[in-house]
Amino acid sequence: MKPKYYLLIFLTVFMGSCSSDSVETPNPPTTNEKPNEPEEPETPEEDIWSVNKADQYAVNIIFYKPSDFNVTDDIINKLSDMALYIQKWYEVQMELNGYGKKTFGLITNQNNKVRIHVIESNNPSSYYHNKEEQNPYSTLQELNAAVTNYFNSNTNFKASSHSLILSNEETLIRFVGSGKNAYARSPDFSLVPTGKFIGGFQLMKSAGLGGIMHELAHGLNVPHNCHKNSELPKISLMSFGNHTYENGQEDMVFMTKTTAAILNVNEAFNKNNNGIGYYAQDAIALESLKVEKDVAINSIHAEGVISSDVTPTHIYISNDGAPNGQANNNYDDVTFVTELTDLGENKYSFSVDMPYEELFNNYKDDGKNEMLLSLKGLTIQGNKHELYKYNYSIDLTTKIPNNNVNKTYEIFTFSDRSNWSIAANTTSPNSARNADTTLDGDLSSYWHSNYPYDISASGNHELTIDMASEIEFNGIYLHSDRGGTNFRPKHVIIQQSVDGNTYTTIKEFDLENIPENQLSFDAAVTTRHLKILVSEVHISSGTEENLILNEIDIITE
């Protein structure tokens, strides 16, 4: 494709020659020959844009241009070449994982050049550099807003929900996946052959390329996940494979089965005419789960049943060592993925074995005494649901999980609470978030305390329940989930009263930061009045000690 300024240069020359030909001569020569027809000036070829994967969604490729940076045709061509290379790398990896030549689409023209959307900023590179130096990731909100505004003004340009936003090195824009956007930078986007191959595909190198491929996967819904022991010496792209690639070991980096399963249902990897509404709301729930050590095969065995209102494609189970660390601490998250068996009536079963030795892959092995097991489900609409999680431990001497890895779960059936009443010491100004919602059997509704709440100043969160008559039961059910991990109960005190005036403590509990907790007493109790005191709240961000509860019930079995 010729740059547009080529036309301007050509027309200037053409018009100049016409002007010299028009100079008058005293006796113009005569001739019987027919004069030649003037040639039409050459004009640039009109770009015809389409997705290079037929009828498919495509990743939007964006260059974020500071005011002091000159985006030349050379840079645009380099960005195009890099996007096409990454597209092919993903395709090769998906094929190795059994999905055929499947990859994300790109918008290209008739010359196979990728459409690069240039978003221009009024600020110079130094503006972003200084902000990032003072407060890392502080420019993300501004960049996300710029991308949103760009596509709001150019709705026909948006080819999917996913965008890769690149910029020049001087901005110091961080390598990060934020929502469905991925950000990265490079001092030079040139590709250089490495002389290494995966089959017939030659691997290339470029400054920041490993990080760009890693962050793009985050922007395509893929979390960190690590390689297994048996996959060494290969390194997962979504662990520290970005650094491995940058350090000249391009042929050692690969895509795990879990990453491939997630990308398989990603919008940008699929047809736009298949009748699937990508990322539309769907409902998937864990019906039952049994996790136990299988000493015969030195593995953790997990099996269970889920329900789903759309087709689920995979279940994957992650095992994250030292889960309470800082950002990127889950680079060591070893995952196991499996398809499901359709049981009919929207029920599906799964079974997976996780060999102990696979968890020890020479990466952060000394921190794997404390582990977090998390069960996640993928649906055909591209959604990822966390269904269950809990902590367990491993004996690092023997490298065998302790017995607290064994877990049994059955979905909870709510009791008839139609004649119960409940009161809370505080309530949100939003009248829909009242305490009665904790007794309605609807997990989408919830009570919210007043906010901002400070337990040290205002006392424990307190909910008092009158069950209308004395009931024998042996535990309490609590559900707290608003689509995030903030404001769940952390330390709970359960009290009882016969007359509703004088209360005595049944038991105190320390709760994991999970949506559902079934809390068992040491012995059954018979009472009419309950009081639930929450003296500590899980806070994943901020300092407010607000509390959210969707449902409260008793356990009678």
Side-chain angles (χ1 to χ4, degrees):
M1 180 182 67
K2 293 183 178 179
K4 290 183 179 178
Y5 61 76
Y6 280 9
L7 173 60
L8 193 58
I9 293 171
F10 183 88
L11 288 175
T12 303
V13 174
F14 185 83
M15 292 169 66
S17 62
C18 289
S19 175
S20 63
D21 287 347
S22 69
V23 175
E24 291 186 8
T25 58
N27 295 299
T30 60
T31 176
N32 292 325
E33 293 180 15
K34 184 179 180 180
N36 294 328
E37 294 290 329
E39 294 182 0
E40 290 293 324
E42 182 182 350
T43 57
E45 189 178 13
E46 283 293 327
D47 286 325
I48 302 172
W49 299 102
S50 61
V51 182
N52 64 356
K53 296 290 181 180
D55 301 319
Q56 191 170 310
Y57 292 98
V59 172
N60 309 296
I61 307 298
I62 297 170
F63 188 83
Y64 194 77
K65 176 194 172 305
S67 59
D68 62 329
F69 190 82
N70 185 26
V71 178
T72 64
D73 290 323
D74 181 57
I75 290 174
I76 293 297
N77 288 332
K78 289 176 179 178
L79 291 168
S80 173
D81 291 344
M82 180 175 283
L84 289 167
Y85 170 78
I86 297 173
Q87 180 191 48
K88 184 64 177 179
W89 188 91
Y90 272 63
E91 179 181 275
V92 169
Q93 295 294 327
M94 290 292 284
E95 187 172 22
L96 290 172
N97 276 290
Y99 292 97
K101 296 182 180 297
K102 189 169 188 177
T103 188
F104 57 88
L106 289 170
I107 301 291
T108 58
N109 66 9
Q110 65 275 20
N111 298 312
N112 199 33
K113 292 296 183 181
V114 176
R115 171 179 272 172
I116 309 297
H117 304 276
V118 178
I119 298 180
E120 299 192 9
S121 169
N122 294 324
N123 297 309
S125 302
S126 58
Y127 165 82
Y128 299 100
H129 189 283
N130 293 338
K131 284 190 71 173
E132 288 295 334
E133 271 198 334
Q134 295 169 12
N135 185 13
Y137 307 103
S138 60
T139 61
L140 274 186
Q141 184 175 359
E142 180 178 334
L143 268 60
N144 277 331
V147 172
T148 299
N149 291 338
Y150 175 81
F151 284 123
N152 285 342
S153 300
N154 302 275
T155 54
N156 293 335
F157 285 173
K158 191 171 185 180
S160 79
S161 305
H162 302 276
S163 299
L164 172 61
I165 300 98
L166 302 170
S167 195
N168 53 304
E169 181 69 21
E170 293 79 7
T171 61
L172 201 62
I173 287 172
R174 302 294 169 170
F175 285 75
V176 65
S178 173
K180 290 180 170 56
N181 292 341
Y183 293 93
R185 66 183 191 274
S186 177
D188 183 2
F189 296 94
S190 300
L191 294 176
V192 179
T194 66
K196 303 168 188 174
F197 292 82
I198 301 176
F201 175 62
Q202 179 165 207
L203 298 170
M204 309 293 279
K205 63 182 178 180
S206 181
L209 181 54
I212 293 170
M213 294 194 299
H214 177 103
E215 299 307 336
L216 174 59
H218 280 320
L220 294 168
N221 305 333
V222 181
H224 289 137
N225 64 95
C226 198
H227 41 275
K228 303 181 181 71
N229 177 281
S230 63
E231 292 167 331
L232 292 170
K234 301 286 188 179
I235 304 297
S236 167
L237 173 69
M238 298 314 294
S239 180
F240 57 90
N242 48 347
H243 303 294
T244 303
Y245 198 102
E246 293 293 319
N247 292 334
Q249 295 177 287
E250 300 88 357
D251 55 339
M252 289 291 103
V253 179
F254 79 108
M255 180 187 291
T256 65
K257 292 184 181 300
T258 295
T259 294
I262 295 170
L263 293 177
N264 180 54
V265 293
N266 182 275
E267 178 187 59
F269 280 65
N270 285 284
K271 302 286 186 181
N272 56 25
N273 58 2
N274 59 11
I276 296 174
Y278 287 95
Y279 313 130
Q281 184 175 355
D282 49 34
I284 180 172
L286 183 65
E287 298 282 326
S288 64
L289 174 67
K290 184 175 184 179
V291 182
E292 60 183 354
K293 293 192 295 184
D294 188 334
V295 296
I297 57 173
N298 292 317
S299 297
I300 303 170
H301 176 76
E303 61 182 48
V305 174
I306 66 167
S307 60
S308 180
D309 63 352
V310 298
T311 303
T313 61
H314 292 84
I315 288 288
Y316 74 92
I317 301 176
S318 61
N319 297 265
D320 181 18
N324 299 315
Q326 300 301 312
N328 297 335
N329 71 301
N330 56 355
Y331 267 46
D332 64 337
D333 196 349
V334 178
T335 61
F336 300 81
V337 64
T338 184
E339 295 180 343
L340 299 103
T341 300
D342 189 346
L343 303 177
E345 298 182 344
N346 294 330
K347 301 289 180 65
Y348 304 82
S349 66
F350 63 90
S351 177
V352 62
D353 290 311
M354 299 175 282
Y356 308 152
E357 63 181 2
E358 293 284 38
L359 304 176
F360 291 89
N361 53 9
N362 301 326
Y363 182 58
K364 296 186 177 181
D365 286 352
D366 58 351
K368 294 176 180 175
N369 56 316
E370 296 295 333
M371 303 289 289
L372 176 67
L373 185 148
S374 180
L375 177 74
K376 300 181 178 72
L378 305 175
T379 74
I380 199 169
Q381 295 184 157
N383 292 320
K384 181 169 75 258
H385 298 266
E386 184 172 77
L387 303 175
Y388 198 81
K389 66 179 180 179
Y390 66 94
N391 295 96
Y392 72 97
S393 58
I394 295 179
D395 184 334
L396 293 185
T397 303
T398 61
K399 296 185 177 179
I400 296 175
N402 294 317
N403 288 336
N404 60 354
V405 73
N406 297 330
K407 182 72 69 172
T408 300
Y409 167 84
E410 293 287 341
I411 192 169
F412 187 80
T413 301
F414 293 117
S415 62
D416 181 3
R417 294 162 291 163
S418 57
N419 59 346
W420 292 18
S421 61
I422 185 169
N425 63 335
T426 70
T427 297
S428 164
N430 184 344
S431 60
R433 307 303 180 205
N434 61 78
D436 290 339
T437 61
T438 64
L439 306 179
D440 64 6
D442 181 0
L443 292 178
S444 67
S445 66
Y446 58 90
W447 164 78
H448 195 301
S449 68
N450 195 14
Y451 55 87
Y453 199 88
D454 182 347
I455 291 176
S456 63
S458 301
N460 299 333
H461 293 285
E462 183 175 312
L463 295 105
T464 306
I465 299 172
D466 183 349
M467 298 185 289
S469 62
E470 288 191 349
I471 302 175
E472 182 180 358
F473 57 101
N474 50 24
I476 290 290
Y477 172 91
L478 298 177
H479 192 103
S480 176
D481 187 25
R482 193 186 54 175
T485 58
N486 243 358
F487 310 146
R488 289 173 175 163
K490 186 175 183 180
H491 186 80
V492 175
I493 304 165
I494 308 297
Q495 295 184 334
Q496 65 168 323
S497 173
V498 175
D499 58 11
N501 295 313
T502 303
Y503 285 85
T504 59
T505 297
I506 303 172
K507 192 173 182 178
E508 298 189 24
F509 299 89
D510 289 310
L511 277 57
E512 297 181 54
N513 192 357
I514 57 178
E516 181 178 291
N517 281 277
Q518 298 187 30
L519 311 176
S520 298
F521 301 153
D522 297 330
V525 299
T526 301
T527 192
R528 171 174 172 172
H529 300 276
L530 276 176
K531 183 173 287 188
I532 299 171
L533 303 173
V534 179
S535 61
E536 195 172 355
V537 175
H538 283 289
I539 303 172
S540 58
S541 62
T543 58
E544 295 182 16
E545 296 175 301
N546 311 325
L547 181 63
I548 289 171
L549 285 172
N550 304 68
E551 292 293 322
I552 302 172
D553 205 344
I554 56 175
I555 300 171
T556 58
E557 296 180 359

